[in-house]
Amino acid sequence: MLFSENKPIYLQIADGIMDAVQSGDYGAEDRLPSVREYAAKVEVNANTVMRSYDWLQQQEIIYNKRGIGFFVDSHAGERILAMRRRTFFGEEAAYFFGRLASFGISPEELMKLYSEYLAQQ
């Protein structure tokens, strides 16, 4: 797995797991790979994966069944979507809208471009 330098690796791993939940690769109540298995898969130290799992557990995305492993919470998809929307509107949208304004893109043009984008998906 390739990591960027602008975000801690454990959060990038957590993002990858949340992406997998949102895409359906991990469903509600699915068991995640063990910490060691996942560490080998993404080629990082097991402690880094454990930190990712701990963070996801704090966000109530996953939970631990002691002695069995980590599982995807039944409401993980909803929580991930809510968290990512908060992040987008709280941190990223101002930059995005500022860039649109600097390019002279009107709300009408943005709506057209976004509609075309959705039609292609």
Side-chain angles (χ1 to χ4, degrees):
M1 183 173 186
L2 295 175
F3 298 105
S4 68
E5 293 188 23
N6 62 347
K7 189 175 192 178
I9 291 174
Y10 81 96
L11 290 177
Q12 293 178 61
I13 292 169
D15 280 342
I17 293 169
M18 290 189 295
D19 288 344
V21 169
Q22 285 194 301
S23 71
D25 292 341
Y26 294 127
E29 304 303 326
D30 280 355
R31 184 180 179 276
L32 295 177
S34 72
V35 169
R36 289 180 192 206
E37 290 169 340
Y38 205 86
K41 176 182 173 182
V42 297
E43 300 175 340
V44 299
N45 187 291
N47 291 329
T48 304
V49 173
M50 190 64 225
R51 192 167 178 196
S52 301
Y53 280 18
D54 284 342
W55 186 86
L56 289 166
Q57 196 170 5
Q58 290 171 4
Q59 306 308 311
E60 298 180 333
I61 305 299
I62 66 173
Y63 64 93
N64 186 11
K65 287 185 181 178
R66 195 166 195 87
I68 299 173
F70 289 91
F71 293 80
V72 177
D73 187 87
S74 60
H75 299 288
E78 300 154 22
R79 289 187 179 117
I80 293 167
L81 183 59
M83 179 189 324
R84 288 183 165 175
R85 286 178 64 103
R86 277 191 310 273
T87 300
F88 177 76
F89 287 113
E91 299 170 12
E92 300 166 12
Y95 175 79
F96 175 74
F97 291 135
R99 297 293 288 173
L100 291 173
S102 72
F103 299 149
I105 297 174
S106 69
E108 294 78 17
E109 187 178 359
L110 175 61
M111 188 167 22
K112 180 181 179 247
L113 291 169
Y114 185 57
S115 295
E116 290 171 359
Y117 169 81
L118 291 175
Q120 293 174 358
Q121 296 302 309

